[in-house]
Amino acid sequence: MAERLRLDKLLCYLGAADTRSAARDAVRAGRAWVNGVAERDPGRVLDPTQTQVSLDGEPLAYRRWRHVMLHKPAGVITAARDPRAATVMDLLPALYAACGCLPAGRLDKDTEGLLLLTNDGALTHRVLSPRTGITKCYLAEVNGPLDTDDVLAFAQGITLTDFTALPATLTILESQPDGARALCKVQEGKYHQVKRMFGARGRAVTYLKRLSIGPLALDNALEPGAYRELTPEEVAALYTATGLPIPKE
Ligand code: URA
C-alpha cells in the first residue's frame, strides 16, 4: 500500500522545504496547491502517488525511493544524528532525512570513501547481510610490509577475539619496510573489521577508504563531502546483485 503523508511532511519529502515548520508556514500562506486547488491545511493527509502538489506554482515530482552515494570525508561520523559531532546526514540536503534516507552500514570516523544512503530498508539489509555476499572493497595503508603470508591469512579467514572473519581477498599494491598499500575485499561489515584483520597480522591501518560496495563504485568525480543520487543503471545493478526486484518509481 502506498504511504500516506501530511502535506507539510510531503513538502519536505519533495525537497520544497527544509523543515516541517517552514512547510507549515508555506501552506498557511497559501503557497501550496493540491491537484490544482490551493490548500491551506498543512495537516491534510495525502497519497503522494495520486496527488500533484505544487509550491509557488512549481509542480513537485514525487519519488518513493531515494538512493545516494556520498564520498564520506574523514572526521564525520556515520549516524543519523548526534548532539555533538557532525554526521553524514549534515552533508546532505534536508530532503534526504525527510524521506527516511539512512546510511546502509557504517564507516569509522577516520575512514573515507563510499557510503550508500537509502530509504529502502530491505536494500540496506541485503547490502549488509553476509549471506547476500555483497563484497566491500577498501584501499588500506598500513604501517609495515605485507607479504603472501598475509594474503593467505586473509583468504583463510582471520580469527579475531570474538569471531572468525569470512575469507577475504588481499591484493598488495606496494610494500616497503615502513609501510604498504593494499586492496582488501570483505563480505562482512563488523565493527572495525578491516582494521582488526590487519591488526591480527601485526599491522596498524594508517589510512582506509572504501572504494566499492558490490557493483557500486565510488564516483571519482565526487570530492570528499560531495554526494549524488545513484543513476538508474547503478540502482538496477545494486538491486540485481542483492537479489531484490528493481523497484518501479
Ligand atoms: N573496517 C574498518 O575497520 N573500518 C571501517 O570504517 C570500515 C571497515
Side-chain angles (χ1 to χ4, degrees):
M1 196 181 90
E3 59 177 347
R4 292 170 65 78
L5 297 172
R6 287 170 53 105
L7 178 56
D8 52 1
K9 185 162 186 200
L10 181 55
L11 286 172
C12 297
Y13 204 113
L14 296 170
D18 278 351
T19 61
R20 290 280 281 277
S21 68
R24 275 195 295 274
D25 290 347
V27 176
R28 290 190 181 121
R31 294 167 53 202
W33 290 57
V34 172
N35 294 334
V37 179
E39 175 59 69
R40 285 176 182 265
D41 176 7
R44 175 154 171 212
V45 176
L46 302 161
D47 174 352
T49 64
Q50 305 297 324
T51 314
Q52 176 58 63
V53 177
S54 313
L55 187 74
D56 298 331
E58 286 293 319
L60 303 168
Y62 172 75
R63 285 179 36 208
R64 173 68 184 88
W65 304 113
R66 298 268 182 181
H67 316 288
V68 169
M69 75 159 73
L70 171 71
H71 186 163
K72 179 194 170 296
V76 172
I77 63 168
T78 309
R81 65 184 70 83
D82 189 281
R84 286 175 298 277
T87 77
V88 291
M89 298 308 293
D90 296 325
L91 298 171
L92 302 178
L95 94 95
Y96 294 104
C99 69
C101 276
L102 290 170
R106 272 170 198 276
L107 292 177
D108 297 336
K109 188 173 180 183
D110 58 354
T111 301
E112 299 178 6
L114 175 62
L115 188 69
L116 170 69
L117 299 103
T118 176
N119 61 356
D120 185 348
L123 180 65
T124 295
H125 178 73
R126 292 283 180 107
V127 164
L128 298 183
S129 170
R131 275 197 274 167
T132 319
I134 296 288
T135 301
K136 290 92 187 172
C137 180
Y138 295 86
L139 172 67
E141 293 179 7
V142 297
N143 67 345
L146 295 170
D147 60 24
T148 48
D149 286 348
D150 299 306
V151 175
L152 279 176
F154 271 59
Q156 278 161 5
I158 291 195
T159 301
L160 300 169
T161 46
D162 48 345
F163 77 105
T164 297
L166 287 172
T169 308
L170 182 67
T171 307
I172 300 169
L173 301 175
E174 189 187 349
S175 182
Q176 304 287 341
D178 61 347
R181 291 169 70 237
L183 295 176
C184 175
K185 292 185 181 170
V186 296
Q187 295 172 50
E188 302 153 296
K190 297 223 167 68
Y191 185 63
H192 289 340
Q193 172 145 358
V194 174
K195 291 175 184 167
R196 292 173 68 201
M197 285 165 64
F198 279 108
R201 300 295 304 164
R203 297 286 170 262
V205 171
T206 53
Y207 174 78
L208 192 61
K209 177 177 183 179
R210 183 155 63 192
L211 303 179
S212 62
I213 300 172
L216 185 66
L218 178 65
D219 186 335
N220 287 329
L222 289 180
E223 297 291 330
Y227 75 95
R228 69 161 170 77
E229 295 217 358
L230 301 196
T231 64
E233 293 73 25
E234 288 168 336
V235 172
L238 200 55
Y239 275 83
T240 303
T242 56
L244 288 170
I246 302 165
K248 295 185 206 77
E249 281 292 349

